[in-house]
Amino acid sequence: MGAIIEGLLADIDGVRHGQVLIEDGIIRAVGSGLGKPQYVFGAGCLIFAGMGDIHIHAREDVTGRDNYKETFASAAAAALHGGVVHVADMPNNPAAPIDDASYAAKEQLLLGQRLPVAFTLYAGIGPGTRPLSRTVPYKAYMGPSVGELFFSSLKDLDRTLADYAGQNVSFHCEDPVLLEKHKGAATHEERRPAECELSATRFALAMIEKHRLTGKLCHYSVGEGIRLIRAAKAKGVPVTAEVTPHHIFFDTARITAANRPWMQMNPPLRSPADRQAMLEALRDGTADFLATDHAPHTIAEKERGISGQPHLDTFGPFVTWLLVEQGFSPERIAAICSANPGAFVNPYRSERWGRLLPGYIGSLTVLNLQRPTTVHREELRTKCGWSPFEGMTFPGSVAAVFVEGKPAKLPP
Ligand SMILES: [Zn+2]
């Protein structure tokens, strides 16, 4: 027995009133007159193919050492709360997945849990690692991050990447040598200035060409770098870029003495002009993904100066800010939140994500653009228990989430 969902369907090729018929978890038909709908969403709502966040840190691994921050289960609950039905999880765990055995161990942990959100796992590239025997997405950290997975010199990274030809590699772009040079500066932003990201961008683009990688630049934040990405794309270099909610909502002008610890992440907040440039890049197609870099550090850790912000719970409401207040078209939102994240994970999965088309998975994200959301700490599902948006009101909300044709209920 299938389900028929009716309303305004939003995909990359347009918005139209219609129905989606889902059977056995798969979209079987999209159109009109498919039958009597079980679920009807009114004019204030948009039905998208299930949204994906391809850059999160769920923290769980076989050691369980970070389970106090987040687990696959708590990250899945936060994702569903935010209207996100699939995620890709970063590899900077205490037991980092860097080879066949460590990757399989992390995956086993996940598969045992039957969560309502699909997780795609990145493998880490660190000094001396080699590609896995199966196809997975990779992440390379250039500069110091959490854990041991980083290179202190770009020459070492170049040497390691030579073995990864043909692979999909995501780069955290901060030049470790320049970071070292600025480490004595007064503030977090001054210790990680724009030149670190620009230098690393040039390097990453050169590596993508030299080693014939498919590349992605993570959490892009510097306006000046956008023309480098645009030029590389124009030349046919296979590179994409992510932009985070924090880099398009906050900037250095919003940092105060009181909120400074909460506004710390890597790369750091940039100038108001950089923030505008990231918004434009996301709008004009130079950037390809809204990806959160969800980093669930606890309140005590944030007070101690640990970098990162949690963003899964607020993903959908944040998207309504782009739609209603920043004038993003539904088609563009379908691209950066559904179709592009789907295209990113599809090579690694048996099911197909990202479009409202027959054959794709019957998981949907429905946003209501007329019912605002005020963010309250008590309602968050992330284990870390805070949000940079607490007390703020977004213009819309998540109206419903369907997981393989069934309305998702938030786990208690
Ligand atoms: Zn990250």
Side-chain angles (χ1 to χ4, degrees):
M1 188 43 204
I4 294 176
I5 297 149
E6 182 176 310
L8 276 177
L9 310 179
D11 204 339
I12 53 173
D13 55 358
V15 180
R16 56 188 75 82
H17 188 271
Q19 297 177 328
V20 181
L21 167 64
I22 301 170
E23 282 171 348
D24 301 322
I26 304 293
I27 298 177
R28 298 297 175 196
V30 180
S32 52
L34 301 178
K36 189 174 150 32
Q38 281 83 7
Y39 307 96
V40 178
F41 294 94
C45 292
L46 288 173
I47 301 171
F48 292 91
M51 291 184 175
D53 183 354
I54 59 162
H55 187 145
I56 75 149
H57 298 265
R59 311 296 322 187
E60 183 167 346
D61 74 356
V62 292
T63 71
R65 233 162 71 192
D66 286 348
N67 286 5
Y68 68 95
K69 293 177 193 266
E70 199 83 292
T71 58
F72 290 130
S74 65
L80 273 191
H81 185 208
V84 171
V85 286
H86 75 93
V87 295
D89 185 45
M90 285 296 169
N92 59 326
N93 300 111
I98 52 169
D99 55 22
D100 285 321
S102 52
Y103 188 93
K106 185 173 174 183
E107 187 180 45
Q108 246 353 85
L109 195 61
L110 180 65
L111 293 178
Q113 304 192 38
R114 301 183 149 272
L115 297 169
V117 168
F119 283 70
T120 300
L121 303 180
Y122 287 88
I125 294 177
T129 59
R130 294 185 48 80
L132 275 58
S133 55
R134 53 195 277 203
T135 309
V136 300
Y138 292 92
K139 172 74 179 290
Y141 295 87
M142 294 187 197
S145 186
V146 183
E148 319 275 279
L149 272 186
F150 67 86
F151 292 82
S152 47
S153 99
L154 294 180
K155 212 186 292 155
D156 290 343
L157 177 53
D158 184 1
R159 224 172 280 134
T160 298
L161 285 173
D163 289 329
Y164 286 81
Q167 306 289 347
N168 193 319
V169 179
S170 294
F171 291 87
H172 177 127
C173 290
E174 289 188 289
D175 183 327
V177 176
L178 289 177
L179 287 175
E180 184 65 24
K181 180 178 135 196
H182 292 284
K183 72 175 182 194
T187 66
H188 184 74
E189 305 81 73
E190 290 161 347
R191 287 190 287 275
R192 313 181 83 99
E195 62 170 293
C196 298
E197 187 162 330
L198 281 173
S199 160
T201 303
R202 290 191 192 93
F203 176 80
L205 293 173
M207 289 297 100
I208 293 164
E209 279 198 272
K210 177 179 175 185
H211 298 303
R212 291 174 291 115
L213 312 171
T214 297
K216 171 159 68 67
L217 310 184
C218 294
H219 36 56
Y220 212 77
S221 69
V222 175
E224 232 188 301
I226 292 300
R227 60 186 175 80
L228 300 178
I229 300 172
R230 207 175 279 142
K233 284 186 166 190
K235 219 166 79 175
V237 177
V239 63
T240 54
E242 306 167 358
V243 170
T244 67
H246 42 274
H247 288 119
I248 54 177
F249 193 86
F250 301 113
D251 56 48
T252 48
R254 301 273 299 261
I255 300 176
T256 64
N259 73 13
R260 173 163 277 289
W262 312 97
M263 290 295 142
Q264 179 178 319
M265 73 290 291
N266 303 329
L269 293 184
R270 306 290 189 192
S271 71
D274 288 315
R275 182 175 75 80
Q276 280 303 333
M278 291 313 112
L279 262 172
E280 286 322 303
L282 206 50
R283 197 196 305 269
D284 72 19
T286 310
D288 307 89
F289 307 97
L290 179 69
T292 67
D293 197 13
H294 172 79
H297 301 300
T298 64
I299 290 166
E301 286 169 333
K302 289 305 290 176
E303 286 169 344
R304 281 210 316 271
I306 305 280
S307 293
Q309 290 184 336
H311 281 292
L312 275 174
D313 279 277
T314 48
F315 189 98
F318 184 82
V319 168
T320 69
W321 175 76
L322 290 175
L323 279 162
V324 176
E325 291 183 22
Q326 299 300 316
F328 276 59
S329 68
E331 291 87 344
R332 190 63 198 144
I333 293 299
I336 62 177
C337 299
S338 301
N340 294 348
F344 181 78
V345 302
N346 284 342
Y348 316 107
R349 307 203 61 88
S350 53
E351 71 284 4
R352 280 159 71 83
W353 293 87
R355 299 292 309 277
L356 295 173
L357 291 174
Y360 279 76
I361 192 162
S363 296
L364 311 173
T365 302
V366 188
L367 299 181
N368 184 334
L369 305 190
Q370 296 171 355
R371 197 187 68 200
T373 303
T374 300
V375 179
H376 299 293
R377 181 172 288 192
E378 322 72 80
E379 289 160 13
L380 302 172
R381 300 306 179 107
T382 175
K383 217 166 167 178
C384 72
W386 70 280
S387 162
F389 298 129
E390 280 173 47
M392 294 181 199
T393 299
F394 291 113
S397 50
V398 177
V401 179
F402 290 86
V403 173
E404 298 182 27
K406 297 189 183 72
K409 283 189 211 60
L410 274 182

